[in-house]
Amino acid sequence: MPAPAFHSYADGPVAHAAYRRAVLAYGPDDPNTLNLRALVELRQGEARRSLQTCLQAIKADPRNGSLWECLGWVKHELG
């Protein structure tokens, strides 16, 4: 089963629901689950925490472009 795709800086409830489903389906340490968690954290105003989550996800799967895209959003938010 492919990991859930979430490539949009969408509203918080959408990101949070996708994250909850990913945790149940793939576990909390899956890189794509971490990506969703980072998006939720970012939408909650926790950009520094989101940065750490993005880096954790990238360390686990450095070839996943979605993870790098999320890192870009986080860095943009941090300035």
Side-chain angles (χ1 to χ4, degrees), residues 11-75:
D11 64 23
V14 171
H16 198 263
Y19 169 67
R20 287 193 313 265
R21 287 190 305 272
V23 168
L24 293 174
Y26 304 102
D29 295 322
D30 176 79
N32 291 299
T33 301
L34 290 170
N35 186 41
L36 292 168
R37 186 175 101 194
L39 291 170
V40 169
E41 291 167 346
L42 187 61
R43 294 296 293 169
Q44 293 175 339
E46 298 288 338
R48 294 204 184 280
R49 184 184 308 172
S50 181
L51 175 64
Q52 295 307 313
T53 303
C54 282
L55 295 175
Q56 181 183 354
I58 289 169
K59 184 176 180 182
D61 187 5
R63 298 179 69 191
N64 185 331
S66 295
L67 306 178
W68 291 97
E69 181 180 15
C70 183
L71 180 62
W73 289 333
V74 172
K75 287 191 170 197

